[in-house]
């Protein structure tokens, strides 16, 4: 379990409310209790300063990572990465923070992300012999996307958070697959990986499955539109249905190549990426709910 950062505070500046700290502490404690392996240090995690996070790091198991966040003397404040083995696969996890001075944090600066991430990823591959490099990118989407475009074959997966953008499906700009984290704790992003054979880009199986589902919907709509055209007697209504049919046929043509069954070939790596909504069908944990409501009572503006 991983987190791409920006999880602890609602803004990058403190309003002086003591509940801000209590809320952040609760989040850190529960993420740790859930077994989260690592979290990148994002802009909205530094609201109370780096010392607040480092105090947690001394007692918590969850790693707080940033390959590029340094103090006034140029010293790195957090580990750049961690290595974990899951299912016989060795993962190198790299964290990265936004570039530039951290607001209201004297001397705290994010160095340029790309060289910091690449240097750490290469070290992980050469020294630790990791099978997969995952970047937890607490960066604006455009900057995180740049990592994919300029990293060659060094990075495999990039999980991004920062902008509060709507969650999207996995996308590939070059070699690495780029994914956004779950939105405001209301859903989880899940990546199921098959890692076998030599290194290579991950084949996105979910893209094929989505295309097959979309094609089925288009074909159903196309059949209905053709029945409606056959039943129409008014010329203007017929013209509307013909236009609709033409659009659906074009969409079917576009989806055809994407939906061809095949999946990953022997020796290829594959990923199936999806989101798990955390809706009312998933019951609350009574203890956590009680702790939350002490900080954000039901009916309050923040609840």
């Amino acid at each position: 379990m991983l987190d791409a950062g920006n999880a602890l505070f609602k803004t990058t500046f403190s309003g002086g409310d003591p509940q801000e700290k209590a809320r952040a502490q609760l989040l850190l404690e529960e993420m740790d209790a859930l077994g989260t392996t690592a979290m990148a240090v994002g802009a909205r995690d530094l609201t109370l300063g780096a010392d607040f996070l480092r105090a947690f790091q001394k007692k918590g198991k969850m790693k707080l990572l940033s390959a590029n966040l340094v103090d006034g003397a140029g010293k790195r404040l957090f580990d750049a990465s961690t290595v974990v083995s899951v299912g016989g696969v060795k993962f190198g996890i790299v964290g990265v923070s936004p570039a530039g001075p951290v607001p209201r944090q004297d001397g705290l600066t994010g160095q340029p992300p790309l060289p910091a991430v690449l240097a750490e990823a290469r070290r992980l591959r050469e020294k630790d012999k990791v099978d997969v490099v995952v970047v937890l990118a607490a960066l604006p989407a455009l900057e995180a996307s740049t990592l994919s475009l300029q990293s060659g074959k060094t990075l495999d997966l990039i999980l991004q958070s920062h902008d509060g953008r709507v969650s999207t499906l996995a996308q590939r700009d070059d070699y690495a697959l780029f994914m956004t984290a779950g939105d405001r704790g209301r859903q989880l992003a899940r990546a199921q990986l098959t890692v076998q054979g030599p290194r290579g880009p991950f084949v996105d199986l979910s893209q094929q499955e989505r295309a097959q589902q979309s094609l089925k919907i288009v074909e159903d709509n196309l059949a209905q539109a053709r029945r409606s055209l056959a039943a129409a007697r008014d010329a203007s209504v017929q013209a509307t249905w013909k236009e609709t049919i033409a659009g659906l046929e074009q969409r079917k043509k576009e989806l055809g190549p994407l939906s061809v069954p095949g999946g990953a070939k022997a020796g290829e790596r594959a990923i199936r990426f999806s989101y798990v909504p955390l809706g009312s069908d998933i019951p609350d944990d009574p203890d956590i709910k009680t702790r939350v409501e002490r900080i954000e009572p039901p009916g309050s503006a923040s609840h």
Side-chain angles (χ1 to χ4, degrees):
M1 190 180 300
L2 304 169
D3 196 287
N6 293 295
L8 304 183
F9 297 94
K10 296 179 180 180
T11 65
T12 57
F13 59 90
S14 174
D17 185 346
Q19 297 296 65
E20 289 179 330
K21 184 175 182 179
R23 181 180 183 273
Q25 286 176 328
L26 173 60
L27 286 165
L28 285 170
E29 290 168 7
E30 292 303 334
M31 289 168 70
D32 200 44
L34 286 168
T36 307
T37 297
M39 182 184 90
V41 178
R44 293 198 301 277
D45 303 314
L46 289 163
T47 300
L48 294 184
D51 288 345
F52 170 74
L53 297 179
R54 295 174 77 183
F56 163 79
Q57 187 68 99
K58 291 178 181 178
K59 58 183 180 180
K61 295 179 181 179
M62 180 176 70
K63 296 289 187 181
L64 300 177
L65 304 178
S66 178
N68 65 324
L69 195 63
V70 298
D71 62 16
K75 182 180 178 181
R76 189 180 288 153
L77 295 173
F78 301 94
D79 289 344
S81 66
T82 190
V83 176
V84 59
S85 293
V86 181
V89 179
K90 204 171 185 180
F91 289 86
I93 315 296
V94 183
V96 61
S97 307
V102 178
R104 292 167 292 280
Q105 305 292 333
D106 290 343
L108 210 57
T109 303
Q111 295 177 331
L114 182 63
V117 169
L118 292 184
E120 188 62 19
R122 288 171 182 144
R123 188 192 69 78
L124 289 168
R125 291 205 184 277
E126 293 168 9
K127 182 181 177 181
D128 295 290
K129 308 300 181 185
V130 300
D131 301 299
V132 180
V133 173
V134 180
V135 178
L136 304 180
L139 302 173
L142 184 59
E143 292 181 33
S145 180
T146 299
L147 292 179
S148 174
L149 288 168
Q150 299 184 20
S151 64
K153 298 180 179 181
T154 308
L155 313 178
D156 294 302
L157 305 173
I158 299 170
L159 183 63
Q160 179 266 347
S161 81
H162 180 83
D163 334 67
R165 63 193 297 233
V166 175
S167 301
T168 60
L169 299 168
Q171 63 188 61
R172 191 192 309 279
D173 294 315
D174 186 15
Y175 182 88
L177 272 174
F178 175 88
M179 301 163 282
T180 59
D183 180 31
R184 296 172 58 192
R186 293 182 293 190
Q187 57 186 356
L188 295 175
R190 182 168 69 178
Q192 296 171 279
L193 305 180
T194 300
V195 181
Q196 57 187 3
R199 279 190 59 216
F202 279 89
V203 176
D204 185 3
L205 299 180
S206 51
Q207 181 184 40
Q208 178 192 100
E209 292 164 359
R210 293 192 302 272
Q212 291 172 344
Q213 293 168 359
S214 296
L215 182 61
K216 176 65 167 58
I217 293 171
V218 168
E219 288 175 339
D220 290 345
N221 289 339
L222 190 55
Q224 180 60 52
R226 284 170 175 158
R227 287 194 292 270
S228 297
L229 173 62
R233 296 292 177 263
D234 184 88
S236 62
V237 174
Q238 290 175 342
T240 298
W241 280 118
K242 287 178 181 178
E243 184 178 347
T244 299
I245 289 169
L248 290 170
E249 287 177 337
Q250 177 60 33
R251 181 58 179 155
K252 180 180 177 180
K253 184 178 179 181
E254 293 169 353
L255 289 169
L258 298 176
S259 62
V260 176
K265 300 174 183 177
E268 283 186 324
R269 298 175 167 202
I271 182 171
R272 182 173 279 107
F273 183 73
S274 61
Y275 290 103
V276 181
L278 302 179
S280 58
D281 56 317
I282 298 179
D284 292 324
D285 179 286
D287 179 60
I288 296 176
K289 184 176 181 179
T290 298
R291 296 186 66 190
V292 168
E293 291 182 348
R294 288 194 194 116
I295 298 169
E296 297 183 348
S300 65
S302 59
H303 186 70

